[in-house]
Amino acid sequence: MKLYKVLEKKDKTESNYIKPSLKELLKQRATGKTDKVLMLITILITMFGILMVYSASSYTAQVRYDDSFYYMKKQVLGALLGAAAMTGLTYCNYHILDRLKLPILIVCVILLGVVFIPGVGLSNYGANRWIDLPGFTIQPSELAKFAFIIFTAGYMSSRQHKMKTFLGILPVLGAGGLIALLIILEPNMSITVCVILLMLVMLFLGGTRIKHFVILLIPVVALVPILILIEPYRMNRLSAFLNPWASPLEEGFQLIQSYYSLGSGRLFGVGLFNSRQKYLFLPFSESDFIFSIIGEELGLFGSIVTMAIFCIIIYRCIRIAINAHDRLGCYMASGIGAIIAIQVAVNIAVVTGSIPPTGLPLPFVSAGSSSLVVFMGGIGIVQNIARHGNKDITIS
């Protein structure tokens, strides 16, 4: 409710606002300050992620690549690129992203389609989720989430009066639906669920009527069992979730190993680098199930501290959204905070057996350069919004 009151005030301040040209935007200099707490926490969680990636992957990397630092090197590279993205977006006026929202969305949609081109898209574990480039790969679905936030924030902020009508929300539904469709075809149900949840959050923030939400939720709820039934492996995962010990060496194996990992950590863990489950017992211990290794090595205490750090990041994003200069900044910061919250919640729910197993990285921590770069870049956007929170903007 507080956010809606803030948005009403922003409407009054923006009623006589004339949008500057792109040239004027490039000349604008913000007089506000970055959120130092958010910056420090982001750097700390990224460094912690590098440490945990090495701990969780050193043995696997040695066995597969004869280099125990293989995954860590890639994570360090991702952190350096992410730091560059975060710095650049901190000082790039977020209104410029609004002007480029449609090209950004189109490029990301094209990239989502490129993954299906033989020889360009990289297939792994039966899924086409990556684009194979010389020396590295990129995962377009990670970029698409933030492209959707930029597009939706720009659309809703400029057409606020249309958000109360069903026709008015169709562009948001169209963009989100197209992205979700391309991602589920990879197939990648976890990211698809995140995009759908993000779309619903953005529509809620945009002021969509409750009756429209009901209309949207009916097909969404109906779609979930259909998506599970059309793919046998998803049905197997659901069965493993309900009773993992029914197939301890097959579908239930990963969840059982995650339980062993979290359970053996007890209160303070077995000690950093001392995990036993990382010795090829727990699949994807360096990526989707890295929180299990955190629980094993650092215990319940370390797990709670990790979750607390994410809560601080999400809180700072919401705080910046409330203090944003306009609706555009408010929606962008809220959307970025929302996708972080959604992905953290889903990842932890999976590794603790609260929802059926699905592959989803833990933001800033799991191995994966694409995810790390875009999430750090997202923090850069939020920092830029913080810098423009002060209404006194000078033009050089």
Side-chain angles (χ1 to χ4, degrees):
M1 292 302 294
K2 182 178 180 181
L3 187 58
Y4 281 124
K5 292 179 180 178
V6 170
L7 289 172
E8 288 175 2
K9 292 181 180 179
K10 295 184 193 303
D11 285 339
K12 295 178 181 179
T13 60
E14 295 175 24
S15 58
N16 298 319
Y17 177 69
I18 300 176
K19 287 187 176 182
S21 65
L22 185 60
K23 184 177 180 180
E24 289 173 329
L25 286 173
L26 291 170
K27 290 183 178 181
Q28 283 187 356
R29 297 292 180 269
T31 58
K33 297 180 179 179
T34 57
D35 188 323
K36 292 182 175 58
V37 174
L38 179 59
M39 183 68 70
L40 177 61
I41 291 295
T42 301
I43 293 171
L44 286 176
I45 194 69
T46 301
M47 294 176 64
F48 174 69
I50 293 172
L51 183 67
M52 290 310 304
V53 165
Y54 170 72
S55 178
S57 69
S58 57
Y59 182 77
T60 304
Q62 183 65 40
V63 171
R64 293 180 181 174
Y65 305 102
D66 197 28
D67 180 5
S68 61
F69 294 95
Y70 177 81
Y71 290 103
M72 179 183 175
K73 289 175 182 176
K74 295 183 69 174
Q75 195 73 356
V76 170
L77 176 60
L80 293 175
L81 293 174
M86 183 169 63
T87 302
L89 290 169
T90 296
Y91 295 96
C92 174
N93 194 322
Y94 65 94
H95 290 92
I96 296 175
L97 296 176
D98 176 41
R99 300 297 176 86
L100 300 174
K101 60 180 179 293
L102 192 55
I104 291 173
L105 180 67
I106 292 172
V107 168
C108 286
V109 169
I110 292 173
L111 291 176
L112 285 172
V114 169
V115 301
F116 300 106
I117 300 176
V120 180
L122 179 64
S123 180
N124 198 7
Y125 295 101
N128 297 289
R129 302 175 184 174
W130 301 268
I131 296 176
D132 191 14
L133 297 174
F136 65 99
T137 60
I138 62 172
Q139 189 172 358
S141 58
E142 294 292 342
L143 297 169
K145 291 179 295 187
F146 287 84
F148 176 72
I149 291 171
I150 293 170
F151 171 80
T152 305
Y155 174 81
M156 293 195 309
S157 63
S158 62
R159 295 170 177 81
Q160 182 56 36
H161 61 287
K162 294 184 177 181
M163 294 306 296
K164 296 292 184 181
T165 67
F166 191 77
L167 288 177
I169 66 175
L170 284 180
V172 177
L173 294 176
L178 179 59
I179 290 172
L181 175 63
L182 289 170
I183 294 175
I184 196 63
L185 291 175
E186 293 178 349
N188 191 336
M189 188 170 180
S190 55
I191 298 294
T192 302
V193 170
C194 285
V195 170
I196 292 174
L197 291 176
L198 174 63
M199 181 172 62
L200 294 176
V201 170
M202 295 298 286
L203 287 172
F204 175 78
L205 294 174
T208 301
R209 295 182 184 276
I210 298 298
K211 64 179 182 181
H212 294 155
F213 264 105
V214 174
I215 294 173
L216 292 174
L217 285 175
I218 292 174
V220 169
V221 172
L223 187 62
V224 172
I226 294 174
L227 291 174
I228 292 174
L229 291 173
I230 61 176
E231 288 287 352
Y233 80 91
R234 291 181 189 139
M235 195 64 193
N236 293 335
R237 286 185 177 183
L238 179 60
S239 300
F241 163 69
L242 296 174
N243 184 13
W245 282 274
S247 54
L249 298 179
E250 296 178 1
E251 287 82 7
F253 180 80
Q254 189 170 28
L255 187 55
I256 291 173
Q257 297 305 314
S258 180
Y259 286 156
Y260 288 158
S261 185
L262 292 169
S264 61
R266 297 178 182 265
L267 191 58
F268 295 106
V270 298
L272 189 63
F273 307 126
N274 292 330
S275 166
R276 291 182 289 272
Q277 294 303 110
K278 67 183 179 183
Y279 291 105
L280 303 183
F281 290 106
L282 178 63
F284 305 108
S285 60
E286 76 284 349
S287 54
D288 301 338
F289 278 74
I290 197 168
F291 190 78
S292 300
I293 303 300
I294 293 173
E296 182 182 6
E297 295 189 347
L298 304 180
L300 178 63
F301 178 78
S303 300
I304 291 175
V305 171
T306 302
M307 289 188 288
I309 290 174
F310 281 117
C311 288
I312 294 172
I313 292 175
I314 296 163
Y315 166 74
R316 303 305 289 194
C317 289
I318 295 173
R319 185 172 178 270
I320 290 170
I322 291 174
N323 294 315
H325 178 52
D326 52 17
R327 275 186 177 270
L328 176 64
C330 182
Y331 289 146
M332 278 191 183
S334 298
I336 292 168
I339 191 59
I340 294 173
I342 290 169
Q343 225 167 289
V344 169
V346 172
N347 179 274
I348 294 177
V350 167
V351 302
T352 56
S354 303
I355 61 175
T358 184
L360 188 70
L362 185 64
F364 306 103
V365 179
S366 290
S369 298
S370 296
S371 175
L372 184 56
V373 171
V374 296
F375 273 104
M376 293 184 74
I379 295 297
I381 296 174
V382 175
Q383 291 285 20
N384 187 263
I385 295 168
R387 293 181 67 243
H388 286 81
N390 191 327
K391 296 179 183 179
D392 298 324
I393 300 175
T394 61
I395 298 179
S396 59

